[in-house]
């Protein structure tokens, strides 16, 4: 594949990334500010982004406050930036202000296999051993023998147990079916704290991967008490060939440099945007290739197999606590099967692809695909954040 550097970065504006009802939304951003020497917690207010770091030094800390919505809407702020200026800046450059992923100390978790359609694609990956050349043949057999058995089944129900018995008897049971319709969901750690990239940044795919795709998802932002405080968009970049060889390679498939994108902002839950609105989110996907290729798709949380609060409970509780909260990818309905090049091999990324993930209530997350090995290295971790905040007198 041609080097991504030969292709332009996506051009972003406030109009292109804000939610359609931004004037009514409580939106949290993070900004890299070279004058401050590090990241700033900020609120989006109209065309401006307002520094709130003196009030809440971290997004994690802000979301622990019961008055987080009021702080974002009304607290006096420090420095202001024009949102268009932040969006036009090149992410990763230390000398210019730019947007970052809007979470910081939260652990980045992900729930997998939460939609029936993507569940079958995971089974197909497993059955092909990660070989895209076998995908069409295996897909036809799996869909014919498995697909109808899963319609309308609630995971963990007696009906799901009966379906499992039938599939085991037919030699078709899979570890993916276990987490798709069994009693326990798949929840894994997607990426290290502070490693996610934001809107406008490059996202990474390993050079060695020949079968991969974006995973457009809603991301819940949860506090230390297990309360969903907000939602945003995410791209849980997936290497289908790697995970297809073995589920034990999940970390290799999921956690690479720049392989997790979150943004553009965290929309806080309030009277006009509650958990019901989250359950009703529609998520759109558009991929624009450097060769003029275009792929469109969509995902709706109305079709999710497990309720989003059930996913939160599976992550947080007496069995596991998160003192700084967590961001939880909720899974995707999107599983591209359209051939991009060779017949039967389905979709895979080309370097230079621009991935648009959008939702009317959350805005747009836009990233360009590059090799993970060429993405800006991850250098700013927890220690750097603590030193930065201490140096500014916030700790």
């Amino acid at each position: 594949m041609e080097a991504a550097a030969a292709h332009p970065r996506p051009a972003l504006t406030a109009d292109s990334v804000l939610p359609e009802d931004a004037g009514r939304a409580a939106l949290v951003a993070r900004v890299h500010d070279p004058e401050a020497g590090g990241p700033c917690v900020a609120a989006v207010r109209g065309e401006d982004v307002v520094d709130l770091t003196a009030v809440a030094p971290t997004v994690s800390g802000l979301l622990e406050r019961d008055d987080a919505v009021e702080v974002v809407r009304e607290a006096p702020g420090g420095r202001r930036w024009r949102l268009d200026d932040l969006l036009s800046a090149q992410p990763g450059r230390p000398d210019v202000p730019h947007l970052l992923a809007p979470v910081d100390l939260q652990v980045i978790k992900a729930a997998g296999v939460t939609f029936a359609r993507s569940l079958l694609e995971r089974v197909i990956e497993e059955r092909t051993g990660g070989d895209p050349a076998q995908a069409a043949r295996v897909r036809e057999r799996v869909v014919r023998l498995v697909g109808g058995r899963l319609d309308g089944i609630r995971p963990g129900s007696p009906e799901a147990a009966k379906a499992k018995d039938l599939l085991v008897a037919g030699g078709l049971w899979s570890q993916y079916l276990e987490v798709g319709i069994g009693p326990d969901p798949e929840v894994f750690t997607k990426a290290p704290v502070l490693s996610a990239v934001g809107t406008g940044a490059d996202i990474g795919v390993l050079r060695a991967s020949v079968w991969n795709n974006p995973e457009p998802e809603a991301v819940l932002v949860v506090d230390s008490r297990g309360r969903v405080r907000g939602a945003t968009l995410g791209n849980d970049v997936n290497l289908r060939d790697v995970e297809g060889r073995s589920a034990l390679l999940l970390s290799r498939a999921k956690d690479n440099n720049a392989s997790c994108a979150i943004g553009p902002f965290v929309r806080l839950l309030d009277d006009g945007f509650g958990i019901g609105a989250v359950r009703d989110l529609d998520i759109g996907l558009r991929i624009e290739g450097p060769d003029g290729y275009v792929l469109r798709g969509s995902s709706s949380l109305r079709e999710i197999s497990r309720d989003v609060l059930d996913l939160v409970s599976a992550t947080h509780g007496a069995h596991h606590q998160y003192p700084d909260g967590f961001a939880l990818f909720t899974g995707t309905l999107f599983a591209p099967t359209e051939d991009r090049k060779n017949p039967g091999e389905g979709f895979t990324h080309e370097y230079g692809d621009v991935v648009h993930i959008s939702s009317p209530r959350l805005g747009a997350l836009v990233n360009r695909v590059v090799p993970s090995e060429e993405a800006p290295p991850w250098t700013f971790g927890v220690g750097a954040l603590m030193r930065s905040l201490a140096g500014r007198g916030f700790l």
Side-chain angles (χ1 to χ4, degrees), residues 26 44 51 81 104 151 167 174 189 217 220 226 247 261-262 267 388 390-391:
V44 181
D51 184 6
W81 304 270
D104 43 39
D151 293 344
L167 293 168
S174 160
T189 299
E217 305 187 21
L220 307 178
I262 298 176
R267 180 167 187 168
S388 173

Side-chain angles (χ1 to χ4, degrees), residues 140-189:
E140 180 181 359
R141 178 172 181 265
V142 168
V143 171
R144 184 177 70 251
L145 297 178
V146 178
R149 300 182 188 272
L150 305 180
D151 293 344
I153 286 182
R154 181 170 56 87
S157 67
E159 292 78 14
K162 291 179 182 178
K164 176 178 179 177
D165 291 342
L166 289 172
L167 293 168
V168 168
L172 288 172
W173 192 243
S174 160
Q175 59 200 337
Y176 293 103
L177 288 164
E178 176 64 46
V179 297
I181 67 172
D184 299 312
E186 177 191 24
V187 181
F188 58 94
T189 299

Side-chain angles (χ1 to χ4, degrees), residues 214-217 233-236 261 263-264 283-286 355-359 363-367:
E215 292 194 347
E217 305 187 21
L233 296 169
N235 188 349
D236 179 15
I283 299 172
L285 173 75
R286 186 173 80 256
V355 181
H356 301 252
I357 297 171
S358 61
S359 180
L365 173 67
V366 186
N367 305 96

